[in-house]
Amino acid sequence: NNIDLACIFYTSGSTGRPKGVVLRHTASAVIESLAETFRPEDLACSAATTSICFDPSILEIFLPLSVGGTVVLKRDLLEPFAPTETPTWLNGVPAAFALLAQARRIPDSVRVISVGGEKLTATLAREIYARSSVQAVRNHYGPTEASICATIAHVPRDVRADPPIGKAIAGARLYVLDQDGKPASRGEMGELFI
């Protein structure tokens, strides 16, 4: 049924072989769910820094617009901001935020940072807080197949252990299954199914 088709992203995921992943209009539930986790002032101005060929771009553009915010278009997250550009929310990968934090280049206007696409360490989260005026760091998780984001964890300023991927959002359900496809027991290794 193609009626629900919004767009197709081509991603290699963990296989290294490109495949088309359908993003459905129901992905708007992710935007609605995430909008509820922010204060309107957090999303007053987003920086769209991700290529429109990658699913987080949908979040960077439509999440702030869904609550009346504005969007500043940037080539990438490392492109410097002009004095008139005052983003309140940034989204990106830990590697980029590590460079920005080390160089103290996270604009003072930024209230919230959302991190995804790579593992967020406790060390980096503490460094972001220490080297910026950021009020909140959030760890997002979700492969393209899960329509942008499936979980979110709020990372405290004094985090000591690497943050978890968080709790499910937008009606997503998470299961850890064993090699036979059955629910893994508590403490048992398994594979995450969304």
Side-chain angles (χ1 to χ4, degrees), residues 26-175:
T26 54
S28 63
V30 171
I31 291 170
E32 291 172 21
S33 181
L34 280 174
E36 294 173 2
T37 72
F38 286 87
R39 293 182 304 231
E41 57 269 23
D42 296 340
L43 297 173
C45 182
S46 165
T49 62
T50 302
S51 165
I52 60 169
C53 299
F54 191 42
D55 60 309
S57 66
I58 301 293
L59 198 60
E60 293 174 354
I61 295 167
F62 293 104
L63 180 57
L65 293 178
S66 74
V67 297
T70 61
V71 179
V72 174
L73 301 177
K74 302 302 279 183
R75 187 174 52 252
D76 58 46
L77 192 54
L78 300 178
E79 181 183 352
F81 290 94
T84 57
E85 296 174 326
T86 55
T88 55
W89 174 57
L90 295 178
N91 178 61
V93 296
F97 282 116
L99 294 172
L100 290 173
Q102 288 167 2
R104 295 188 185 270
R105 287 191 37 228
I106 298 171
D108 288 341
S109 58
V110 176
R111 300 170 55 88
V112 179
I113 285 180
S114 294
V115 180
E118 301 166 356
K119 182 179 179 178
L120 174 62
T121 64
T123 301
L124 177 56
R126 287 192 312 270
E127 187 172 5
I128 289 169
Y129 280 121
R131 294 176 173 250
S132 72
S133 57
V134 167
Q135 297 170 13
V137 174
R138 296 173 176 186
N139 193 25
H140 290 224
Y141 172 78
T144 304
E145 293 83 351
S147 295
I148 310 165
C149 183
T151 69
I152 186 171
H154 299 277
V155 182
R157 191 172 286 277
D158 62 349
V159 63
R160 291 288 166 231
D162 291 346
I165 62 170
K167 295 182 179 180
I169 63 165
R173 292 187 302 212
L174 310 176
Y175 301 95

Side-chain angles (χ1 to χ4, degrees), residues 170-194:
R173 292 187 302 212
L174 310 176
Y175 301 95
V176 178
L177 303 180
D178 65 18
Q179 62 188 13
D180 296 323
K182 295 186 170 115
S185 301
R186 189 180 246 341
E188 182 183 359
M189 296 291 286
E191 188 171 350
L192 178 64
F193 281 74
I194 301 171

